Amino acid sequence: MAQSHLLANRSTCTRLSVGATIVRDRRIIAGGYNGSTSGGVHCIDEGCYMIEGHCARTIHAEMNALLQCAKFGVPTQGAEIYVTHFPCLPCTKALIQAGIKKIYYANDYHNHPYALELLEDAEVETVHVPYEPVMDAAFSEKQLAFIAELLKTLETQGTDRETMKKYYEEAQKLFANGV
């Protein structure tokens, strides 16, 4: 899911940043984000081209990921997709037709009742996975360095041994998963 959120940062549509990652056999086979056609005008440059409440300029992230597979001859039958937002109805239909068997999504987004019905009929499993971003590694290293410096300063200023032990243990717990 983190990969899909990274891809969403590349989105060129100003209405919603969406990212999608297709995985087969636990390997990433394609990724996409919502944006314009290759070489076309982007929403971030000239605004969205709205027709009936939708940006006509944008190709959705799921579709871009599927098209990447088609372009390079990568089969999608039995694959899974990780998407930052629940797929719209047209993307849902495309995912079903492409043989996607499981959809992981981080955010609900206009979950269309017919899309839900189609997914159920096609036996495509949907899994809501709220995304909790992991700490940026560089940021974690800066935090760890700061805490280490702070602990050394406390130690050199004569903080008692038992208190220092408690601080070191707490710092170790805080950063055990982040670095």
Side-chain angles (χ1 to χ4, degrees):
M1 190 59 77
Q3 175 73 27
S4 295
H5 281 273
L6 285 172
L7 286 167
N9 289 327
R10 295 192 52 127
S11 173
T12 62
C13 185
T14 56
R15 296 187 71 228
L16 184 66
S17 295
V18 179
T21 305
I22 300 176
V23 174
R24 192 181 65 243
D25 300 325
R26 297 186 177 181
R27 301 215 183 269
I28 295 172
I29 60 172
Y33 53 90
N34 55 334
S36 302
T37 57
S38 296
V41 173
H42 295 280
C43 301
I44 56 174
D45 297 325
E46 294 191 17
C48 293
Y49 182 21
M50 300 298 292
I51 298 175
E52 297 176 8
H54 298 282
C55 180
R57 195 182 310 276
T58 300
I59 300 169
H60 290 185
E62 303 93 326
M63 197 64 71
N64 267 326
L66 288 173
L67 292 169
Q68 185 180 33
C69 287
K71 187 175 187 176
F72 296 107
V74 178
T76 54
Q77 184 67 39
E80 302 174 341
I81 190 166
Y82 292 80
V83 192
T84 58
H85 295 77
F86 192 87
C88 68
L89 181 57
C91 285
T92 296
K93 291 191 251 181
L95 293 170
I96 291 168
Q97 283 300 98
I100 300 295
K101 286 298 174 196
K102 197 170 200 178
I103 299 170
Y104 296 93
Y105 66 98
N107 301 297
D108 288 306
Y109 186 74
H110 305 298
N111 302 22
H112 197 285
Y114 187 54
L116 294 168
E117 182 183 326
L118 288 172
L119 290 166
E120 186 178 328
D121 290 347
E123 297 180 0
V124 174
E125 185 180 352
T126 58
V127 181
H128 181 234
V129 182
Y131 177 67
E132 296 177 24
V134 285
M135 257 190 246
D136 177 75
F139 187 61
S140 297
E141 289 172 19
K142 287 180 185 176
Q143 285 181 318
L144 185 57
F146 174 75
I147 295 297
E149 183 180 336
L150 188 61
L151 290 171
K152 275 188 176 178
T153 302
L154 286 170
E155 198 169 2
T156 58
Q157 290 180 349
T159 304
D160 68 272
R161 182 173 266 226
E162 195 58 39
T163 302
M164 286 307 302
K165 182 180 176 191
K166 183 180 81 173
Y167 288 152
Y168 274 105
E169 287 172 355
E170 190 61 32
Q172 193 171 21
K173 282 184 209 171
L174 287 172
F175 291 98
N177 296 325
V179 179

